[in-house]
Structure formats: structure tokens, C-alpha cells
Amino acid sequence: MSQPTPADDATFERAWTIADTVPGWLTRDQARLLHDEAQALDPGAVALEIGSHQGRSTVVLAAALGRRGSRLVAMDPFVEGRLFGGATTRQKFERHVAQAGVAEYVELVPEYSTRARPGWSRPLDLLYIDGKHDYWTLSDDLRWAVHLPPGAAVLVHDAFSSIGVTLGLLRHVLFSRTLSYERRAGSLALFRVRPPRRADRVRMVAELPWWVRNVGIKVLLRLRLRPVARLVGHDSPYDPY
Ligand SMILES: C[S@@+](CC[C@H](N)C(=O)[O-])C[C@H]1O[C@@H](n2cnc3c(N)ncnc32)[C@H](O)[C@@H]1O
């Protein structure tokens, strides 16, 4: 993997300045991990983002990809609803991507990942999963990895902070022969398309206490017990991510 140059650092800083104004669930460290994996791809690469929302992660990925002559497919159905919003969220997404000057590198596919996957044939070089966080959707989203070459990155948000996502990872990655766990930035986990070693599996299991802590914090927040969550180091009204 090529290391980021000072010009890449500058690209990241510019993109993050805009991305950080976009509502969403991505920390600076997580954005940097996404950026660094995207900037390491060969020119002409194609990355897929599942779950774009208002474009916080899209802006970061597209900035890194565009600099190298690569492209981002951003997939989100923008369903109307209380949680994520519909047409207005799509308008915000388009506005943020335009503000960041990366619109020409982004191909929006307004579709559910699970509906688009069966008919998909285009090769991909990086996969970022941050769509619906239930076990079944995450399990299906991992199947997009068949379009990736050996060594490619699979990044999964809320990997060790959501019950559905973590159970899906344990079922499909912990015992997989083709995906191995590398590391995480908060809940953003980096997997790679390569046969896992025992140590990779052990490292993934070692994240489970952190997952239990995060699920516990979510329960405490639902019960309005924020002072108790503070005792385990979570000083925020939001779920850990
Ligand atoms: C957690 S948000 C994504 C956040 C975004 N990556 C960011 O950085 O702010 C999840 C998004 O996934 C979308 N979504 C839900 N189900 C989906 C699916 N099956 N395929 C693609 N996107 C989906 C939702 O509409 C929502 O916008």
C-alpha cells in the first residue's frame, strides 16, 4: 500500500474541513482511515460506498479517489422516514458533494444495496459498508466482496458497536477463508481480502469485550442513565461509534 504524501495529507485536510460540517456518524480518525485506503488505490479504481446519507464519508472517499483518477459509487435508497430522511436527505447529499468539489468523482446509485447486488457485474477495488445495520443486510452487503481483487480493503462502520453488524461479522468473517481482520478506528473496522491467519481471528475475538461495553452503553443511554455511561468513559448523549 502506498503511503500518503504531503499532498495527500492536504487533500484529506481540505475534504475533512467540509465533511466535518456534514451531519453524520464519522470521526476524524475514521475519515482518515477511509481516505488512506482510498488514496492507495491504483488510478482508475472504483470504490463502492453502501450508505451515504448526507455525504459525510462520501466527501472524504471521493476526494481521495478523485485525486488519483478513480471513482466512487455511492449507494443509498434515500427512503422517506424519520431516521434518515428521503428526498431532502438526497438534496443535502448532492449539495454537500458539490460544495466539496467532488461531484464529478461520485456516481450516485439511489438503490438498496441488497437489490442492486444480484445484478451487479462491475469490478470494484474497495468496499465501504455503512448501510442498514441489521444482521441480514450486513450479511448480504459482505457478499459484494466477491467483486474485489485479492488484497482489497473492506471497511465496515459500527463493526463493534451494533448487535446486527457484529453478529454478521462473527458469522461471516471470523470463520471466513477469504477475509481477514486488520484493525479499527473506533467502530470502523478494516478487513482485507486475504486468507486469515490465526492471529487475525484472535485479534477479532479480542474486540468482543469492547463490543459488549458499547452495547451496554447503548442500553444505559436508552434507560437515560448517562451518568452511569460516563463511569465507563462515554461522555456523550450519542451511541458509541
Ligand atoms: C449510518 S447512515 C450512513 C452514514 C454515512 N456513511 C456518513 O458518513 O454519514 C446509513 C445510511 O444507509 C442507508 N441505507 C439503509 N439501507 C440501505 C441499503 N440496503 N443500501 C444502501 N443504503 C442503505 C440509509 O438511507 C442511510 O442514509
Side-chain angles (χ1 to χ4, degrees):
M1 176 176 162
S2 64
Q3 294 304 312
T5 63
D8 292 315
D9 292 343
T11 301
F12 173 73
E13 294 302 336
R14 266 196 310 275
W16 180 245
T17 302
I18 306 264
D20 200 23
T21 66
V22 176
W25 302 264
L26 190 77
T27 66
R28 182 189 165 92
D29 285 353
Q30 294 170 349
R32 185 73 216 213
L33 177 54
L34 288 181
H35 173 277
D36 289 354
E37 288 299 322
Q39 69 80 31
L41 297 175
D42 289 336
V46 178
L48 171 64
E49 171 184 73
I50 297 174
S52 304
H53 193 53
Q54 294 192 25
R56 189 169 169 98
S57 49
T58 316
V59 162
V60 172
L61 282 167
L65 292 162
R67 221 176 89 71
R68 295 279 200 280
S70 299
R71 292 285 177 275
L72 178 67
V73 177
M75 193 171 286
D76 197 308
F78 298 112
V79 179
E80 295 294 342
R82 191 177 56 84
L83 190 54
F84 295 124
T88 51
T89 300
R90 179 175 175 164
Q91 282 162 10
K92 288 176 187 168
F93 168 87
E94 286 168 348
R95 194 172 68 237
H96 295 143
V97 164
Q99 273 168 358
V102 296
E104 63 186 302
Y105 315 129
V106 177
E107 192 183 312
L108 177 62
V109 177
E111 179 57 288
Y112 289 94
S113 54
T114 43
R115 285 196 195 151
R117 190 187 56 73
W120 192 270
S121 57
R122 213 166 140 191
L124 299 169
D125 300 284
L126 179 149
L127 173 60
Y128 176 42
I129 300 176
D130 191 18
K132 196 166 183 193
H133 286 21
D134 63 41
Y135 171 87
W136 296 273
T137 307
L138 182 276
S139 302
D140 200 86
D141 285 350
L142 286 170
R143 297 177 70 185
W144 284 89
V146 299
H147 298 289
L148 298 169
V154 176
L155 294 128
V156 181
H157 202 253
D158 295 303
F160 301 107
S161 62
S162 149
I163 291 178
V165 174
T166 308
L167 292 181
L169 289 171
L170 292 176
R171 167 73 180 79
H172 299 289
V173 179
L174 186 58
F175 303 107
S176 155
R177 293 180 184 194
T178 52
L179 277 181
S180 54
Y181 175 55
E182 278 198 5
R183 63 195 169 93
R184 65 176 171 84
S187 76
L188 175 63
L190 169 63
F191 302 89
R192 213 166 282 285
V193 179
R194 67 169 167 75
R197 294 161 300 189
R198 192 167 172 276
D200 300 322
R201 293 195 167 109
V202 169
R203 227 172 325 107
M204 198 169 158
V205 171
E207 301 292 6
L208 295 184
W210 192 69
W211 171 55
V212 172
R213 168 201 179 267
N214 290 334
V215 172
I217 287 170
K218 284 182 164 184
V219 172
L220 290 173
L221 294 179
R222 298 298 176 282
L223 295 174
R224 300 173 188 271
L225 292 173
R226 200 173 149 199
V228 184
R230 235 183 251 130
L231 292 178
V232 287
H234 186 78
D235 193 8
S236 159
Y238 303 111
D239 286 347
Y241 59 87

